[in-house]
Structures are given as structure tokens and as C-alpha cells.
Amino acid sequence: MSAEVPPTRMNQQIFKVKKKAAQSGHKLLKKKADALKVKFRDYAKAIAETKANMSGDAANAFFSMTQAEYAAGNFKQKVAEGTLTARVRVGAGVDNVAGVKLPIFSKYDTGVVADNQSLGLAGGGKKIQSVREKFTYLLEMLIKLASLQTSFQTLDEALKVTNRRVNALENVTIPRIEGTLKYIVRELDELEREDFTRLKIVQGKKEEELAREEAKKKALEKENDADITAKFDAGDDEDVVF
């Protein structure tokens, strides 16, 4: 690439601006990567804690189900015969972390009244209510875990892309620009040396020409100042008789 760039002052200035922009971009992407790493570790910690707690919550919920079936009999068929209208739905939102949009899931109630409120009137009502509460809490934990894992995967992909960009700027783009700048500076220095040598040669020739002209001028002046009578011999003249 360096050989394709004409070594001019304008290109030198252009690549200086490019280098400054690349360094600024590298600095910003580095900060973004650091922020994403912090959030990445927080999500990993939250996922581990949620999974650890969910094992106990799930065990308690299914054990409560067993207790309710023992106290109230098999009520699953009665629940299945109901309208089965959803009382809980999952909503999706977006969280912005260092310019990365992470999906967030949340639970909200639809306001529908359950038609199986009469379950357990003959016995085991408290156990059935406990089952409903524990499975509702387990559902909240599942939604929370789904939100954390989805955001974790999205954050992981964004972190990989950011790190690739940081490495590309640090190891490819900036060194290439610096190499081009060194090439331009080297060529400009060489051109300056050539111009200086050329000027010295031209100046030397002008000085030699002036010296020759000055020598001719001095020789001409010396010839003009010489005694013109020195060219004639007085003995060659005839005597004059009065």
C-alpha cells in the first residue's frame, strides 16, 4: 500500500489525520470492550446464581405438587378441563449497554381470573395455593434465566466483534498507516536531498560562469588601460628637417 501512495505533503497530512482518527477509534473501542467485559462477568455470575437457586426452587415446587395431590387427590384433570386462558405473559424489552442492545424478558399479568378457584374446597386448598405460588415463582425464575442467557449470548457476540475490531486497528490498520507515513517521510527527505544537491550543482555552475565573466571583464579592462604607443617603434619615423 505504501508504494501506491504518492509521497506528497498533502498525502502526509491526510495520513496523519487518518492515524489520529484510528487511534481515537481504538481508544473508544477499548473502553467499550472493557465495559462489555464487566457486564459479561456480571451476567455470568447472575446466571450461575440463578441456576443454583432454581434447582432448589424446582425441587420445592414439585414436592409441593406431590403434597397437594396427596391432600386433594389428582386435580390435574380438573385443571386441564378449564379454559386454559393465559394469566401470565412474557414481554420483551431492550437494555442498552455501551451501544449494544440486549434483549430483556419480563413477566406481566394479563388480568384474567382463573376459573379453577374452587379447587381444593373439599380438602387440600392450602396445598394447592402453595403449589400455585411456588410454580409462579419458578416461572419468574425461568423468565429471568432466559433473559440473562439471551443477553449473555448477545453480549458474547458483541464482545467478540469489538475485540476483533480492536485487534484489527491495533495490529493492522494503525501499523499500516504508520508504515505509509514513514514511507512518505523517507521519500520526502530523499527528494529534499536531491533538490539540495541539484541546487548546489546549479549554484556552482552559476558561480563558475560569473567567475569566467569576471575574468574576461578584467582582461578587457587591462587591455584597454595598456599604453597604445607601446605598439609603435619611434626609430621607424623619418627625421623632420626644418
Side-chain angles (χ1 to χ4, degrees):
M1 179 179 177
S2 300
E4 299 176 359
V5 178
T8 61
R9 295 291 180 186
M10 181 178 294
N11 284 333
Q12 184 183 22
Q13 189 64 28
I14 290 173
F15 276 89
K16 282 183 178 180
V17 174
K18 286 184 178 181
K19 179 182 177 181
K20 186 176 180 181
Q23 289 174 341
S24 300
H26 176 266
K27 186 177 180 181
L28 292 175
L29 285 175
K30 196 74 174 176
K31 289 182 179 179
K32 179 180 178 180
D34 293 339
L36 292 178
K37 286 178 183 177
V38 173
K39 199 69 176 178
F40 185 81
R41 288 192 292 267
D42 292 341
Y43 273 109
K45 183 178 179 181
I47 288 172
E49 292 176 352
T50 303
K51 285 184 176 180
N53 295 332
M54 277 189 63
S55 60
D57 295 335
N60 292 333
F62 282 98
F63 183 71
S64 177
M65 172 73 76
T66 303
Q67 289 179 328
E69 288 179 348
Y70 179 78
N74 188 2
F75 55 88
K76 294 181 181 179
Q77 184 66 28
K78 295 181 180 179
V79 174
E81 291 174 355
T83 58
L84 298 179
T85 302
R87 294 186 298 111
V88 175
R89 292 187 183 276
V90 178
V94 175
D95 185 18
N96 195 322
V97 177
V100 179
K101 294 182 179 180
L102 303 178
I104 301 296
F105 302 140
S106 60
K107 178 184 79 69
Y108 69 93
D109 296 328
T110 60
V112 177
V113 179
D115 59 354
N116 53 10
Q117 297 293 332
S118 60
L119 288 176
L121 291 178
K126 292 183 65 177
K127 295 294 183 182
I128 293 176
Q129 183 63 27
S130 176
V131 170
R132 182 181 290 112
E133 292 175 355
K134 288 184 178 180
F135 270 93
T136 299
Y137 180 73
L138 182 61
L139 177 62
E140 292 177 356
M141 292 297 101
L142 284 171
I143 295 172
K144 179 182 178 181
L145 182 61
S147 177
L148 288 172
Q149 287 187 329
T150 305
S151 298
F152 182 81
Q153 292 177 354
T154 306
L155 197 62
D156 184 38
E157 292 297 325
L159 186 59
K160 289 179 181 177
V161 172
T162 304
N163 285 332
R164 282 197 296 267
R165 290 177 179 175
V166 170
N167 291 332
L169 284 172
E170 185 175 353
N171 300 319
V172 178
T173 305
I174 294 178
R176 184 178 297 172
I177 293 174
E178 289 177 345
T180 303
L181 281 173
K182 290 179 180 178
Y183 164 75
I184 292 174
V185 170
R186 187 170 61 251
E187 291 298 318
L188 288 176
D189 290 342
E190 184 66 25
L191 290 174
E192 288 181 358
R193 284 193 293 270
E194 290 178 0
D195 291 340
F196 179 76
T197 304
R198 190 180 301 110
L199 288 174
K200 291 292 290 183
I201 293 173
V202 172
Q203 186 178 2
K205 290 183 178 180
K206 286 184 177 180
E207 290 178 353
E208 290 177 0
E209 186 69 25
L210 289 174
R212 285 195 297 269
E213 291 180 358
E214 187 68 23
K216 288 181 179 180
K217 185 177 179 181
K218 288 183 178 180
L220 184 59
E221 290 178 354
K222 186 176 181 181
E223 183 178 352
N224 291 336
D225 291 341
D227 188 2
I228 195 170
T229 58
K231 297 180 181 180
F232 301 97
D233 188 1
D236 296 336
D237 296 337
E238 296 180 355
D239 295 335
V240 180
V241 179
F242 297 97

